[in-house]
Structures are given as structure tokens and as C-alpha cells.
Amino acid sequence: MDTITTTTLMRYKREGRKFAALTAYDTSFAAAFERQGVPVLLIGDSLGMVLQGHDDTLKVTVADIAYHTRCVHKGAPNALIVADMPFMSYATPEQAYANAAELMRAGARMVKLEGGDWLLETVKGLTERSVPVCAHLGLTPQSVHVFGGFKVQGRSEDAARAIEEQALRLQYAGAAMLVLECVPSELARRISERLSIPVIGIGAGRHTDGQILVMHDLLGITSGYIPKFAKNYLSGTGNIQGAVAAFVEEVEHGRFPGPEHCFE
């Protein structure tokens, strides 16, 4: 696979080419995902739940993300590696700059931050300091206690308008990519059409530029609650390589997500 950059993804968006993304946490899986043509790998703070066994993502540290970023970078040197900024690691712009630098040195090519307008100064500052930023709107798991649980966001007209306008302001501040999580499909479509940067959806319908899943959901090894937007690709293919290849193919051809994975 050729080296994937933000320029690559911008070209995909202009060409209308859908792309797949997966979470990754170690060298072996990262290498397998890159071999199957997954262009974007996210070291997600989801590791707090799927690797560490916590009930939420809040206990993950910058050191945790940096460790797993180094592992993923060794296995997938050509993928666009995005590292999550953990809970309270970017409470101030100065704090964000220091922690983002640690993650970039570990091998990330972009950092991801959850939140809207309160992050505009931070996004602008990171971009000015040569750190590409992926914004994250909708259901932002680090705000789970504010939301009162893992709930779909943007269902009312006012809430949808607020998310849409925040997305535009984040792009203007310098965000190079946006993740939309658990929002109605129509809202995700509007945002994807209005933004010039790539939009990756998870539980956001089929109209976004890319789709991301947690690797454990893709392989059907998530214990407990299974999100509506997840699909077990391993059950239909019988091996990990086939599962990843099927996911990439379905995303690229617009067959995933289906209506059963979406919120209206």
C-alpha cells in the first residue's frame, strides 16, 4: 500500500471514493489490516474497554495511547495512523500541545480530539504547530457522564443544527478530518456534503466519506453490549484476513453500513 496522507484522503473525497478505517492496538493486527488495504488506523481510547476491561474510556492515559501507537506504527508504516487524545489530556491548548507532541513522536500522523466549539483555539493552535487534527462530534464517549450514557446525538432540529455548525467551525479552525459517531444518517449526509474535509462515520449512515469500526466488533469478539452499528464480518468469512477484506470491499462499494446499522 502506498503511504496514506491527509492529501490522499482529500483526493478520495473529491473523487467520491469511499474508504475504510479500523481501530488497531498492536503490531500484528496493524500489519494484517494494512495488507488488506485499510488506509486509516485509529489507536482509539476504546482500548480502555476492549483491552483493559473498563466500562468507559476515561481511565486511558497518554502513556497508554503512546505505547499502542508505537506498536501500530511498526506494523503499518504506510497507513494514516491517528491517535486518540485521552480524557482530560487536552483541557487547555498548552496541555494539548505537549500531549500531542508525545503521540506524534510515538508514530501518529494525526491526533483526534472530542468536542466542539470549546476546542476551536486548540485545533487552530495544533494545526499551526504542524499537528494534523481529526475532530470528533456526535456521541463523544469521553462525555458519557454528561450525556447520561451512550446515546444517539443530534436527533432534534436544534441539536442537529448545532452539530452541523460546529463541524463547519472546526474545519475552519484547521481540522483535517472529522469523525461523526451515532448521529442520524440525514445529518451525517448534510455535514459530509458541506465539509471539504473527509468525514468518517460510525453509526452515522452510509453517506459519509469513510466508515470506521472497532476491530473487536468487526471480528465479533466484543463481550456484552453489541452496538447497533457493528457488523461481525468474521462469521461470514471464517478468517481474519477475509473479514477485513470484506469490510473494505463493502465500504468502498457503499454496501456497509446497511439500513439496520443506521439511526434515523
Side-chain angles (χ1 to χ4, degrees):
M1 185 171 69
D2 293 335
T3 300
I4 304 298
T5 67
T6 55
T7 302
T8 308
L9 299 186
M10 289 292 288
R11 186 179 77 249
Y12 288 176
K13 184 177 179 81
R14 290 194 302 270
E15 295 172 351
R17 176 177 172 179
K18 304 282 189 180
F19 62 90
L22 282 171
T23 63
Y25 314 98
D26 67 21
T27 300
S28 298
F29 276 103
F33 297 164
E34 182 172 286
R35 284 195 297 270
Q36 295 303 322
V38 181
V40 179
L41 298 179
L42 170 68
I43 296 84
D45 58 5
S46 51
L47 69 86
M49 302 174 76
V50 298
L51 298 187
Q52 298 174 340
H54 301 305
D55 293 330
D56 54 42
T57 66
L58 306 186
K59 299 171 184 67
V60 177
T61 66
V62 173
D64 291 335
I65 297 291
Y67 169 80
H68 290 281
T69 298
R70 286 190 290 271
C71 295
V72 170
H73 177 73
K74 288 181 181 295
N78 295 310
L80 180 66
I81 296 175
V82 183
D84 257 341
M85 297 279 285
F87 177 66
M88 291 299 288
S89 67
Y90 49 99
T92 66
E94 292 72 22
Q95 189 180 21
Y97 304 155
N99 289 324
E102 181 174 348
L103 298 181
M104 295 293 282
R105 293 188 188 105
R109 294 186 177 141
M110 176 181 281
V111 298
K112 182 169 76 63
L113 294 75
E114 298 181 6
D117 287 342
W118 72 275
L119 281 174
L120 295 177
E121 180 185 352
T122 299
V123 171
K124 183 175 185 292
L126 284 169
T127 303
E128 290 174 341
R129 288 159 178 80
S130 303
V131 178
V133 174
C134 176
H136 184 157
L137 291 172
L139 172 57
T140 48
Q142 292 174 17
S143 301
V144 60
H145 296 306
V146 175
F147 294 150
F150 295 98
K151 300 178 180 180
V152 180
Q153 302 297 305
R155 277 189 152 153
S156 72
E157 183 176 339
D158 288 345
R161 186 182 305 110
I163 292 173
E164 187 171 351
E165 293 305 315
Q166 287 179 64
L168 288 164
R169 288 192 287 270
L170 285 163
Q171 175 181 262
Y172 182 76
M177 193 159 69
L178 172 69
V179 167
L180 282 177
E181 181 170 355
C182 289
V183 301
S185 299
E186 175 59 21
L187 172 59
R189 181 192 65 77
R190 291 204 311 267
I191 292 173
S192 299
E193 289 178 353
R194 292 191 70 184
L195 265 57
S196 61
I197 60 174
V199 177
I200 298 178
I202 178 166
R206 64 183 183 86
H207 298 291
T208 55
D209 306 298
Q211 299 289 335
I212 188 167
L213 285 178
V214 173
M215 58 169 278
H216 295 70
D217 291 341
L218 175 120
L219 299 177
I221 56 175
T222 302
S223 60
Y225 172 72
I226 306 298
K228 173 184 173 71
F229 53 75
K231 179 175 179 179
N232 180 352
Y233 280 89
L234 187 61
S235 64
T237 57
N239 63 74
I240 291 171
Q241 292 84 355
V244 177
F247 171 61
V248 171
E249 194 270 340
E250 287 197 357
V251 170
E252 290 180 349
H253 290 85
R255 293 197 293 273
F256 177 83
E260 68 273 22
H261 305 115
C262 303
F263 302 101
E264 303 301 333

